[in-house]
Amino acid sequence: MRRALLICALLLAVPAAADAQATGGTAPVQTPGVTGGNTAGRPFRIPPVIRAFSASPRSVVWGGAATALRFRVDAVNLRAVRVVLSVQRRGTRTVRRVSLGRVPTGRSVTRRWTRAGVAPGVQLLTLRVVDSRGRPLARAARATLTVRVRPRRKPAPAPAPAPAPAASGVFPVRGPHTFGDGFGVDRGDHKHNGVDIAAASGTPLVSPRRGTVLATGYGAGSGYYVVVRDAERDHAYVFFHLLAGSTIVREGQAVDAGQRIGSVGSTGHSTGPHLHFELWAGGWWSGGHAIDPLPYLRAWS
Ligand SMILES: [Zn+2]
């Protein structure tokens, strides 16, 4: 998806600047911020320049605080310019484009970026000033950002976990993990129906409580999935994006709390290894509804 485009404005500027020098005292002095004309009377433009582009902090935990993008655009006779960020995970070809909107020129600006949809890994960030049709107007500026998966610190004695909604249970991801998008997060055409828990591919997944396997299978969005119905309460636990071939339970099988059902993967609609975990009350689909599993997950971790 990357296109190398010729920056025509730059090519125009060079001969024009040379003309201006050749005519000596009569030509205006060429300084950044000034538009001049060449000898044919055609205006030329000095392309905008992106300066001091940085992403801070340079290393973040997946699902953690937003990244501050700092930069400055100097441009001739333009008070604001359109800026687009391209994000490419090192070693992959997928590029996400994030519009940063119009930014004022001639001074440092900071834009908060939530990194929505960005998976763990080293991310190559490319900043471009573009015209109204998305064509680059300036040389791109680059920076890198490391998004890492790290075990949560010993959970600080949680702010009184919601009045014990959860009976005893086992945290479904048995290994280092971090929380990503939560329940109800806006996904454009739908609300996020569960909680994302990032962990290394292959990390064991277990049933949080004793129950029965209600369903296993594969869906385009969910990837490989497993659903477990709680033996004691009217709850169902839904696991998405399992590693291909890792499902080790079958429909109708009884499982214990802590019993392995499969492994963390990234199958289906997923940008990196994580468990998408849902908790349904009153039945899975048939008459039931998903509720926020976070209080339960916290109680189990
Ligand atoms: Zn999810």
Side-chain angles (χ1 to χ4, degrees):
M1 281 293 284
R2 281 176 135 196
R3 287 180 304 166
L5 291 178
L6 221 54
I7 302 171
C8 302
L10 176 64
L11 298 178
L12 280 174
V14 173
D19 287 345
Q21 276 172 7
T23 52
T26 59
V29 178
Q30 294 300 314
T31 53
V34 172
T35 303
N38 62 16
T39 49
R42 231 171 29 184
F44 64 86
R45 286 216 171 82
I46 299 171
V49 178
I50 305 172
R51 301 185 195 281
F53 173 41
S54 71
S56 158
R58 297 199 43 199
S59 177
V60 293
V61 176
W62 191 79
T67 295
L69 302 171
R70 294 200 181 87
F71 55 95
R72 168 194 173 113
V73 179
D74 288 331
V76 171
N77 286 354
L78 294 171
R79 287 191 181 171
V81 290
R82 217 176 286 265
V83 175
V84 169
L85 175 71
S86 298
V87 186
Q88 183 179 18
R89 189 170 161 212
R90 185 178 281 165
T92 69
R93 302 188 66 83
T94 314
V95 178
R96 300 180 72 85
R97 281 167 65 87
V98 181
S99 171
L100 299 183
R102 288 172 69 79
V103 303
T105 60
R107 60 184 166 93
S108 287
V109 294
T110 303
R111 286 288 180 271
R112 270 181 87 256
W113 171 46
T114 61
R115 303 188 305 279
V118 170
V122 175
Q123 308 292 339
L124 309 175
L125 310 182
T126 305
L127 199 66
R128 289 189 177 87
V129 174
V130 298
D131 65 14
S132 58
R133 293 159 70 176
R135 295 173 305 197
L137 289 178
R139 285 176 80 95
R142 295 174 210 285
T144 60
L145 169 74
T146 302
V147 180
R148 62 190 195 281
V149 174
R150 193 183 63 179
R152 285 173 76 74
R153 295 236 170 74
K154 266 279 181 191
S168 64
V170 179
F171 194 81
V173 177
R174 306 307 291 164
H177 59 270
T178 60
F179 284 104
D181 278 356
F183 183 80
V185 168
D186 194 347
R187 286 281 173 85
D189 57 342
H190 69 283
K191 295 259 193 264
H192 194 222
N193 227 11
V195 166
D196 290 337
I197 305 165
S201 183
T203 303
L205 295 173
V206 302
S207 176
R209 288 175 45 86
R210 192 165 62 81
T212 306
V213 176
L214 195 61
T216 68
Y218 182 87
S222 64
Y224 288 96
Y225 66 87
V226 171
V227 184
V228 173
R229 183 169 50 206
D230 194 298
E232 291 166 14
R233 28 172 79 193
D234 196 9
H235 281 174
Y237 309 109
V238 180
F239 300 75
F240 278 2
H241 310 310
L242 270 65
L243 192 63
S246 76
T247 304
I248 54 170
V249 291
R250 54 178 201 287
E251 272 181 43
Q253 179 181 338
V255 288
D256 255 320
Q259 182 173 337
R260 187 161 183 178
I261 57 148
S263 306
V264 170
S266 189
T267 54
H269 189 72
S270 167
T271 53
H274 76 285
L275 168 65
H276 168 98
F277 183 78
E278 295 179 7
L279 202 173
W280 286 68
W284 182 50
W285 289 109
S286 46
H289 60 280
I291 60 176
D292 187 358
L294 194 59
Y296 295 82
L297 290 166
R298 289 207 191 287
W300 296 335
S301 67

